[in-house]
Amino acid sequence: MAAPLTLPIAPTALRSHEKSQPTSKECVAVILKRCKASLIADWLTRTKRTPELNHLNLSDEQRTGHLPKLVDDLVKRLSIPNLPGKDSDASPSPAAVQHGTLRRKQGYSSGMLIHESRILQVTIFGTLHENQSLLEFNLLLPDVMTIADEVDSQLTQTMESFTNGSPKSAKAQIVKPKG
């Protein structure tokens, strides 16, 4: 019986396989910055299809005017290094405060603001899903946690200005018990 013929794997075969894979990965902040216009367009489409939000007669600009700055604030927060095990502080967002004041004038309810925020998170995560082949997966979970925290912080600031007319600080004040 003849010995089996063994052929070395050609280096070019490996290289052709490597070329089929995406060569550059992007962090979440880069993807959101690059996709900001389509993210906002998707958010607008979703809000227009939502009966709880589309009954007010608002232009597209009136509905989305706040979003570019909120996305910019989110991208900025994602760009700040986060130390493992340390909670990061959300940044004050003048855009979120202005958004709450404007929505009060436009006749929104608090429930409508919460619904808008939920749609924003869903839209952001949808954008990331559409770009998953480009994502740096080792950073994805911490970035998703930061997105949730930042969008919640923005919602808190929006709600404070919506209900009180003037924002409180972005951080909760500690109340010392008497005694």
Side-chain angles (χ1 to χ4, degrees), residues 32 70-78 124 147 150 154:
L32 293 180
L70 291 182
V71 173
D72 289 344
D73 288 349
L74 175 58
V75 167
K76 181 180 175 184
R77 171 104 183 264
L78 286 164
I124 290 168
I147 289 168
E150 182 64 21
Q154 290 175 353

Side-chain angles (χ1 to χ4, degrees), residues 141-152:
L141 189 54
D143 285 349
V144 165
M145 292 173 11
T146 299
I147 289 168
D149 186 54
E150 182 64 21
V151 173
D152 286 350

Side-chain angles (χ1 to χ4, degrees), residues 4 22 44 80 88 91 93 101 105 107 116-117 121 171 174-175:
L44 179 62
I80 299 169
S88 59
S91 303
S93 175
T101 302
K105 291 176 185 174
E116 268 190 346
S117 181
Q121 283 193 30
K171 296 180 183 178
I174 298 173
V175 178

Side-chain angles (χ1 to χ4, degrees), residues 52-72:
E52 296 87 357
L53 298 174
N54 68 13
H55 67 278
L56 294 177
N57 189 18
L58 299 174
S59 69
D60 290 353
E61 173 59 30
Q62 289 172 315
R63 288 187 193 278
T64 63
H66 67 291
L67 279 178
K69 184 59 180 144
L70 291 182
V71 173
D72 289 344

Side-chain angles (χ1 to χ4, degrees), residues 91-107:
S91 303
S93 175
V97 172
Q98 291 170 352
H99 177 58
T101 302
L102 176 64
R103 288 299 196 237
R104 184 179 62 245
K105 291 176 185 174
Q106 291 172 331

